[in-house]
Structures are given as C-alpha cells and as structure tokens.
Amino acid sequence: GAVVSQHPSRVICKSGTSVKIECRSLDFQATTMFWYRQFPKKSLMLMATSNEGSKATYEQGVEKDKFLINHASLTLSTLTVTSAHPEDSSFYICSARDLGGRETQYFGPGTRLLVL
Amino acid sequence: GNSVTQMEGPVTLSEEAFLTINCTYTATGYPSLFWYVQYPGEGLQLLLKATKADDKGSNKGFEATYRKETTSFHLEKGSVQVSDSAVYFCALSATGGYNKLIFGAGTRLAVHP
C-alpha cells in the first residue's frame, strides 16, 4: 500500500516551454501533497505544500507564478514549470500524506527535468 | 529555526561491517524524527521513524533512538550488506503546520563485498 506515482519520470524540453508533472496517490487519499526539488548530490528542498481544493503554500524564495501547483482531487496534484529555463533543470519529487492525517509522507519516484 | 545536520559522506564500508550515520537536529517543540533511504534511480522510502523521546525505530536491521537530551537520532546497523548501498536522509517533522519535513543533506553509503 501507500504508493505514489509521478508522470513523466523524465522529460526534456526547450527553453521557454512549460512542463506539467503529475503526482498521484494510487491507493489512498491525500489531502496534502508536497513538492520538493533535489539538486545533484544534495538534499531535498521543499518548494510548496499543496492542499486539495485550496491554494498551495509556497516556501520562501519559490516563485509561485513560475511553479504552478494544482491539487484538484484527493489523489492528484500537478506541478507546472512555466517558461522553463536551463536553471530549472532538476529532479522534482512529490510526496503525499494520507487522509488519516498520520505524519508519514509517501514519496513518488521523482521526475527528472532537463531544459535545453 | 528547525534544521537537521547529518554526517558528511560518502561512507564506505565492507560487507558485514557496523554502520553508524550521525544525525542531530534543532527544533522547537517535540518533532517526529525519520530516516529515509533513496536507492539509486529511485524515490525516497521511509526506513524508520520515532515520534517521541526514547522511542526506537527499527526496520530491516536498522535502528535509531530518539535522544532528546542530545537532540540526536543516529542510524545504526550491525552488519551491512551490499544491497544497503544508498543515500540515507535524516528528517524531522515539526509540530504544527502541515507536518512539513525538513531534511538533512543526506549521507551516501557504499558497501563493498
């Protein structure tokens, strides 16, 4: 149980285009999902907290107009990187916390984004 | 603010050696503490957790004890295997808010036969 999927697993795009990444909880409902960014050989940096049916809460220094987050249902959150630039190339990871409110977060396998 | 400090890697061990990865934290209130593991090419998996002082989390031969007096949550395993090679992240979940996780920098473990 407690599986989180991400799609796509890998994406290459041209500079200036937008890329959408999906995060799904497959066997549980998640009121809260989190989006992280991981740089090579570095730790995870929390970008934003996504709550179903409400606006996401962004961490300091993260541009909300650059990284659009939508949490339309209890099993799906999306992250859209708008007008992507090479410096946005990174590994993006989502996690989900189940409806029961337990503290454990379940992580997706990540999406590697390369912007040319 | 809240933070997690882990020992820097990489840690290189021979199979069956004893493993310790140090983790200390700074937090207000009473956080929950976690160890996550990231195998090559995969996402993070919860390895173990402890939610209050003196709790011991354990899984797959790994153990960590929540030490409030030393603000530590060191990860240990008595006999490592090649399959344990991965990056290990210590994390805390602060009280309040949405239980955001704050991660340490990660420690890469390489186990050789």
Side-chain angles (χ1 to χ4, degrees), chain B residues 34-45:
Chain B
F34 305 82
W35 277 100
Y36 282 85
V37 58
Q38 185 177 32
Y39 296 103
E42 299 183 13
L44 272 73
Q45 300 175 26

Side-chain angles (χ1 to χ4, degrees), chain B residues 46-111:
Chain B
L46 177 65
L47 181 60
L48 53 85
K49 69 176 184 180
T51 58
K52 61 182 187 296
D54 299 326
D55 266 4
K56 176 185 284 188
S58 61
N59 185 27
K60 300 180 181 180
F62 290 90
E63 292 183 340
T65 301
Y66 189 145
R67 301 283 189 202
K68 189 167 175 59
E69 63 275 14
T70 55
T71 62
S72 66
F73 192 55
H74 304 322
L75 181 68
E76 295 182 338
K77 186 174 185 182
S79 176
V80 294
Q81 305 300 312
V82 173
S83 57
D84 294 326
S85 299
V87 180
Y88 292 82
F89 292 94
C90 184
L92 70 81
S93 173
T95 53
Y98 295 106
N99 296 120
K100 295 189 297 187
L101 282 174
I102 297 170
F103 286 89
T107 302
R108 184 175 298 277
L109 170 66
V111 181

